[in-house]
Every structure is written in structure tokens, then in C-alpha cells.
């Protein structure tokens, strides 16, 4: 999803560009979570 496409879809479907960009971000995060193994990363602890 590009900003240009989001603007066009928003106009055509009476939504907002943010709606379409958020859908893309959610899709990207779901796809990455299936591919990235972050189990070995230790969370930082505040001092």
C-alpha cells in the first residue's frame, strides 16, 4: 500500500487514508511475526 493508493481508495470508498495504511501495517506486522524469531532477545529492564 502506498500513500497514493491509500488516498485513492479513501476517496473512492469514503474512508480515510489512515485506514488503508493501518491495514497494510497490520498485514506487514503479521507477516513478519511469522518469519522473525525474537525468542532469544532479552527485554531491557529499567534501572
Amino acid at each position: 500500500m502506498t500513500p497514493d493508493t491509500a488516498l485513492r481508495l479513501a476517496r473512492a470508498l469514503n474512508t480515510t487514508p489512515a485506514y488503508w495504511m493501518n491495514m497494510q501495517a497490520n498485514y506487514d506486522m503479521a507477516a513478519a511475526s511469522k518469519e522473525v524469531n525474537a525468542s532469544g532477545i532479552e527485554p531491557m529492564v529499567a534501572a
Side-chain angles (χ1 to χ4, degrees):
M1 179 67 56
T2 64
D4 178 78
T5 302
L7 287 165
R8 292 171 187 272
L9 284 170
R11 176 71 176 180
L13 300 172
N14 197 30
T15 60
T16 65
Y19 173 80
W20 297 102
M21 295 304 290
N22 286 334
M23 294 263 291
Q24 184 66 52
N26 289 336
Y27 172 82
D28 291 342
M29 190 59 66
S33 69
K34 291 179 182 177
E35 296 179 19
V36 175
N37 180 4
S39 63
I41 300 172
E42 292 292 326
M44 294 178 68
V45 178

